[in-house]
Amino acid sequence: MIEEHRGVWVFMEVKQGSIAGVSLELLGAGRTLADKLESPLGAVLLGYNAKELSNVCFEYGADEVYLIDDPILENYRTEPYMNGVSDLARKYKPEIFLYGATPNGKDIASAIATELNTGLTADCTMLDVDVEKRLLEASRPAFGGNIMATILCKKHRPQMATVRPKVMKALPPEEGRTGTIYEEFIKMKEEDIHTKVLEIVRDSKKTVNLEDADVIVCGGKGMGDPEGFQVIHELANTIGATVGGTRDVVEAGWLTHDYQIGQTGETVTPKIYFAIGLSGAIQHTVGMKNSEIIIAINKDKDAPIFDIATYGIVGDAHEIVPLLTQAFKEALSEKEVVSNG
Amino acid sequence: MHIVVCVKQVPDTKVIKINPKTNTLDRRGVPAILNPHDAHAVQEAVKLKEKYGAKISVVSMGPPQATEVIKKSVQIGADAGYLISDRAFAGADTLATSYALFKALEKIGEDDPIDMIFCGKHAIDGDTGQVGPGIAQRLSIPPITNVIHVEAMGDGEVILRRKLEDGYERVKSTLPCLVTVEKEINEIAYAPLPNMINAAKYEPVIWGVNDLGDVDRTQLGLKGSPTVVGKMFAPPKPEGGNMIEGEPRKQVEELVSYLLEKKEYFQVGKGE
């Protein structure tokens, strides 16, 4: 019975002993939904020695923590996690259940949706709720980001969605905030599990971290050639930004795939995004349009990038960008002098 | 060893256009292609076939013309292909799709038990990545998603590298299992001439819903899909359109003056 289901749940992803950023963001988003529905907000926390993380869940907005703490949950594996979470959902019957759209979040959500025979909407970027009908309105980019589609799950519960990292906002943590812990046990033994994590290799070579960058300088094919692209690197160096590129640029071999921003590359949400020498094809803008401030520099005044740019300059990037680098050098070194007293 | 690869025919989203007036999809002249991630899944099966010996079957759900992607898979090196095609499957969301493919896989595995199932990471038209894990769940076999490398195989086990956000993990799984692959797992090789000839002649097996045996029709198609599209709308656009005019030096000066309000984000000397 649909009516039996109450409460908004968020799956807590635990990484290297702490809760993933996207899970905290979802507690913020879940809090809004729960308040509208006048329901409690539950955090679903599985792991080994995970109990101590309950406080973090409460501080970031959860009213309840549904906990399973067991050595077989030390590393994420679909089978035991799916098993544990499905049991919790069958017993406590949440109405809405959110997961981060990370590799593990998507993996477990897909398995649980099948197990619970319910709907799952992938990679949402907007969430709302129709309070009267108690329907989650999960919106996601469709057709390569050209259009947004709102997906509903009318007759099955819980209503489930995975949500992209960095599109929702975490609440500021409220120190000392507490709630109720419901502790359960896993009904699976190590022998029942078909997979084993042999080793986790953290990629220390990965120097490009576009996802976390505050400032990104992205260049397009309009920079001409790899030499022309150098001005992008110089500007980025000067202001402490991360370099990015469009698919064209990566396919031309000016940058490696790690630097690609857009539909088939990274999705980024920096505070400041420089879009230089790129026209703003939808396949690119879908990956960067949530940036706080967008600056476009392009010689074609009709380039669609100007439609979404906070500030636009029509001009030759090879003239403008070096001037910009120089101006920043001067302005930022002044700042340094002042701050050094 | 029997490897089955699930493939999908998708519109080439690189050339999809949106009618800006109506916000609807303009599909005119949009070619249908083998989902690029699935091509990597087929290619990986071919690599394993070369190394360990295997029979590769591909399976797809779609309209009759989706036989094209099965022929394409045969070009890459698949041995047999099945298309499940029926109006009863139409309108399926990921849950109903995984059910239909599960029934097809059960049938394919009847004569020749399946050791491994490969899927692409996701389809480029839906981008969900939900069908693979859904199939694994229905078959009660482990899914290993986002795989970037098959390290070794033997004795009913496989060792895989699974991509994480900040590195990868090495996972050992018993067979059978279901693997979804990232595109960096391999390079698509040029199809050898004999494969091209085979593919041109190849006629995939086409099954309707009645060919799948004992099927719960309420789990198929629109009826079996818990999710529905409520509405479509244009994505909210950031507030844009502040053009900075003037001579280049003046433009730059003005831009920098705006941006220095946010100078806490700049880390001098820590670029790239």
Side-chain angles (χ1 to χ4, degrees), chain B residues 166-187:
Chain B
D166 54 354
Y168 64 88
E169 61 184 14
R170 295 178 60 234
V171 181
K172 185 163 85 176
S173 175
T174 56
L175 297 177
C177 65
L178 181 142
V179 168
T180 77
V181 305
E182 296 277 337
K183 59 184 175 189
E184 62 251 54
I185 193 166
N186 55 41
E187 298 278 335

Side-chain angles (χ1 to χ4, degrees), chain B residues 146-161:
Chain B
N146 307 87
V147 168
I148 50 172
H149 185 53
V150 180
E151 273 187 27
M153 235 177 156
D155 293 334
E157 285 185 339
V158 61
I159 297 176
L160 304 149
R161 283 188 197 170

Side-chain angles (χ1 to χ4, degrees), chain A residues 86-282:
Chain A
S86 305
D87 280 350
L88 288 174
R90 275 190 281 259
K91 180 166 178 183
Y92 295 100
K93 299 186 170 32
E95 188 167 17
I96 290 174
F97 200 167
L98 309 175
Y99 309 75
T102 60
N104 291 350
K106 294 178 81 156
D107 185 277
I108 193 175
S110 306
I112 290 171
T114 314
E115 174 72 12
L116 300 179
N117 192 39
T118 193
L120 172 64
T121 306
D123 286 305
C124 297
T125 56
M126 293 164 73
L127 296 173
D128 204 350
V129 68
D130 178 335
V131 175
E132 213 161 288
K133 296 186 180 138
R134 301 189 79 84
L135 268 184
L136 176 69
E137 298 172 331
S139 301
R140 64 184 306 257
F143 303 113
N146 293 292
I147 257 184
M148 294 289 290
T150 304
I151 312 293
L152 309 171
C153 173
K154 293 180 179 169
K155 294 179 188 153
H156 296 67
R157 293 293 179 273
Q159 307 168 76
M160 308 218 304
T162 63
V163 181
R164 283 199 188 159
K166 300 214 130 207
V167 294
M168 307 284 161
K169 290 241 179 329
L171 296 168
E174 194 181 311
E175 215 177 303
R177 194 175 176 280
T178 61
T180 315
I181 297 179
Y182 297 91
E183 186 158 7
E184 297 286 342
F185 301 94
I186 194 125
K187 296 187 194 109
M188 227 181 179
K189 293 193 204 69
E190 187 58 47
E191 324 64 282
D192 307 327
I193 302 168
H194 294 94
T195 58
K196 214 173 213 54
V197 175
L198 303 175
E199 184 186 9
I200 297 179
V201 181
R202 307 279 170 203
D203 193 354
S204 55
K205 283 182 300 185
K206 194 181 172 191
T207 49
V208 198
N209 197 351
L210 285 166
E211 267 182 38
D212 295 327
D214 277 340
V215 186
I216 292 173
V217 182
C218 181
K221 208 62 191 293
M223 303 315 294
D225 52 34
E227 287 70 43
F229 201 84
Q230 283 310 309
V231 299
I232 298 288
H233 290 285
E234 283 156 21
L235 174 59
N237 255 330
T238 303
I239 57 176
T242 303
V243 165
T246 59
R247 190 177 69 197
D248 288 349
V249 161
V250 170
E251 280 179 359
W254 306 354
L255 291 173
T256 60
H257 186 78
D258 296 350
Y259 291 87
Q260 187 180 325
I261 294 167
Q263 190 192 354
T264 50
E266 294 283 329
T267 299
V268 297
T269 51
K271 311 283 188 217
I272 303 174
Y273 189 91
F274 290 87
I276 303 175
L278 61 91
S279 64
I282 188 78

Side-chain angles (χ1 to χ4, degrees), chain A residues 63-80:
Chain A
D63 303 309
E64 301 165 336
V65 168
Y66 295 86
L67 174 75
I68 304 180
D69 202 324
D70 193 290
I72 69 170
L73 299 171
E74 182 169 8
N75 291 312
Y76 174 79
R77 289 178 291 176
T78 316
E79 291 173 296

